[in-house]
Amino acid sequence: MSEEKSNMSMDENLRNRALLSSRVFLLVQWPAYIVLGIVGLLLPALTHVDQAALMGAILLGMAFTKIIIMIKTGRGPGTCFCWRAGVTALNILASFLILANPLPFEIPLHMIVGAYMVPASFYVVLEGRYSFLDRRIEIVTYSGFLGMAIGASVFSGFPDIAFWTPTFAYSLYLLILGYTSQHFTFLKISGGDFQSPDQA
């Protein structure tokens, strides 16, 4: 009985650590979301800027942020690390395609950005559903659904209006995700969600 209880305690501890790692990875990026979102919205409005170069730089900034956080948080238990590594690799690929343009044929910017946003936002949904058990903070998950919708809109080129550029759409999404993330990063979580490893 004691051994069974010990195994359950170990499993619970691993689960808590996995949840904490997921939450940390998703939520501590909010300063990057906010800063890059503001840059993406304001810079084109203030001066003439190459949309592709700006979009590529924003995606590259997000990729570096994800890499630094993964290094700091470590691999952690569970399969979430594979999702994080995958979405980071996708982030790097999208920025590389935009900035280096290595392919012999021209892929429109809106298609690259849209194709990146849909799976990257789906990752936010998965991490949110896995990590945020408290209904009060599921709005982060809803942000992921919104990102998928924006990504599909950007990819399809609809609506075809002047201001709805890939940079504007992605930057707007970053601000929305950044706001929800920073709000709930500092929210005190009640018992029944998870404990930090130090408390387990």
Side-chain angles (χ1 to χ4, degrees), residues 75-99:
R75 188 183 188 284
T79 59
C80 286
F81 179 82
C82 297
W83 284 104
R84 293 177 213 135
V87 79
T88 302
L90 186 64
N91 204 153
I92 294 171
L93 175 62
S95 60
F96 177 70
L97 288 176
I98 293 172
L99 295 174

Side-chain angles (χ1 to χ4, degrees), residues 115-188:
Y116 161 74
M117 282 189 70
V118 172
S121 301
F122 180 64
Y123 158 78
V124 172
V125 173
L126 287 180
E127 283 275 49
R129 299 288 291 182
Y130 176 69
S131 303
F132 306 137
L133 306 183
D134 190 315
R135 294 290 298 181
R136 293 173 303 147
I137 57 177
E138 213 172 44
I139 190 172
V140 176
T141 305
Y142 300 150
S143 297
F145 284 119
L146 177 62
M148 291 172 65
I150 293 176
S153 169
V154 170
F155 184 85
S156 66
F158 178 83
D160 186 16
I161 48 180
F163 74 86
W164 192 245
T165 64
T167 305
F168 177 89
Y170 183 65
S171 300
L172 180 64
Y173 171 62
L174 285 182
L175 286 179
I176 293 169
L177 186 58
Y179 170 76
T180 56
S181 297
Q182 68 84 24
H183 178 70
F184 294 114
T185 298
F186 299 115
L187 182 68
K188 184 175 181 180

Side-chain angles (χ1 to χ4, degrees), residues 5-24:
K5 186 175 180 181
S6 175
N7 288 338
M8 285 180 63
S9 177
M10 185 177 299
D11 289 343
E12 186 66 23
N13 187 38
L14 288 173
R15 178 178 173 278
N16 285 337
R17 288 177 183 275
L19 291 174
L20 181 63
S21 179
S22 296
R23 185 185 294 269
V24 167

Side-chain angles (χ1 to χ4, degrees), residues 30 47 49 54-55 66 71 83 87 95 101 103 106-108 133 148 152-153 157 167 169 179-180 190:
W30 70 264
T47 184
V49 60
L54 178 58
M55 189 67 234
K66 293 177 192 297
I71 292 172
W83 284 104
V87 79
S95 60
N101 193 21
L103 300 177
E106 193 77 27
I107 303 178
L133 306 183
M148 291 172 65
S153 169
T167 305
Y179 170 76
T180 56
S190 61

